[in-house]
Amino acid sequence: MAPDSTFETVSTSKAHGGTLGVYRHQSTATGTGMTFSVFLPPQVEAGAKLPVLFYLSGLTCTHANVTDKGEYRRACAERGIVFVAPDTSPRGEGVADDAEGAYDFGLGAGFYVNATEEPFATHYRMWDYVAHELPALIEDHFPIDPARMGITGHSMGGHGALTIGLTFPDTFKSLSAFAPIVAPGQVPWGHKALGGYLGQDRAAWRAHDATALVEDGKRPAGAILIDQGAADNFLAEQLRPDLFEAACKAAGVDLTLRLQEGYDHSYNFISTFMEDHIRWHAERL
């Protein structure tokens, strides 16, 4: 892939001996400008190509939520991990949104799929963006080793990380998630998003449902780590990690599912266990 001539640096600042940058480019996948952040640990100064971890955010978020609140920089600096955080949907003039302005569909809620339903099909191609375009762009512009890529995410982003990681195990060699939507075909958030983006043929939804993917034979490159807050108010209705756990057990997929007592769905939860996830990926990359 040729370097993107639209690539621009929005800002940079020093952190934990490395550099945190925000960047923007014109995406061919979405047909819009896309903004993302990258943390480069201090090990880049030695000239080596480093492993990279992609983090996918949840509903209503942009790249800035984890960038500001994720508390990953020290752990990445210690272990030499590049950390990339994209946006959750295309944005800008002409990009369709939910007609009623709902938080769980449209802008900020791309669900990491390639939409086939109008008016979303034109721009909502987050699957292609995260799985293909963004990794190639990062390889072109930063000192990363494309053979050592991992992926993680939170909630809707955990859904994206699991589905992309299961579908492309040769690309993403390590996989984890925080409070992911593991079975969107069986919960209200997923019914709304997958129906709105992909249409009402539920067979088409299975390619974007981690539980269904495991049932249908998809396998990760290695083991999977999931942390889930036991006090998460979305746990029983929207997240349903029990469904994914049962599918993994039946298929022989190595899943570590940790139910964390007292923790909710917020970045207080994510930041508490972020270092564990950075370590998990570092050991595998």
Side-chain angles (χ1 to χ4, degrees), residues 69-107:
K69 298 184 288 187
E71 298 184 23
Y72 58 84
R73 286 173 283 270
R74 179 178 60 81
C76 286
E78 291 174 352
R79 293 169 176 83
I81 302 288
V82 175
F83 191 97
V84 178
D87 204 344
T88 53
S89 78
R91 300 177 193 270
E93 186 176 352
V95 176
D97 194 7
D98 182 79
E100 299 178 356
Y103 77 95
D104 55 358
F105 190 75
L107 295 180

Side-chain angles (χ1 to χ4, degrees), residues 114-218:
N114 286 342
T116 57
E117 297 295 298
E118 297 298 345
F120 303 98
T122 301
H123 297 297
Y124 282 77
R125 304 191 63 80
M126 292 299 294
W127 177 268
D128 280 353
Y129 182 71
V130 170
H132 304 298
E133 184 178 8
L134 184 60
L137 183 76
I138 297 299
E139 182 182 356
D140 281 340
H141 290 277
F142 300 96
I144 64 102
D145 182 352
R148 293 189 291 166
M149 291 185 177
I151 193 166
T152 188
H154 170 233
S155 194
M156 178 187 71
H159 142 77
L162 291 174
T163 56
I164 290 171
L166 285 165
T167 303
F168 302 105
D170 291 339
T171 300
F172 298 99
K173 303 297 177 57
S174 59
L175 179 58
S176 76
F178 300 87
I181 305 168
V182 298
Q186 301 183 59
V187 302
W189 272 344
H191 290 172
K192 181 175 183 177
L194 298 184
Y197 293 134
L198 303 177
Q200 295 306 312
D201 179 5
R202 295 199 175 197
W205 298 5
R206 296 186 69 83
H208 298 285
D209 182 314
T211 299
L213 284 169
V214 169
E215 292 172 347
D216 292 346
K218 295 293 186 182

Side-chain angles (χ1 to χ4, degrees), residues 216-242:
D216 292 346
K218 295 293 186 182
R219 298 293 179 265
I224 302 172
L225 171 65
I226 292 177
D227 274 304
Q228 171 63 60
D232 190 323
N233 61 318
F234 300 116
L235 176 59
E237 183 180 25
Q238 303 283 15
L239 304 179
R240 298 299 307 276
D242 56 300

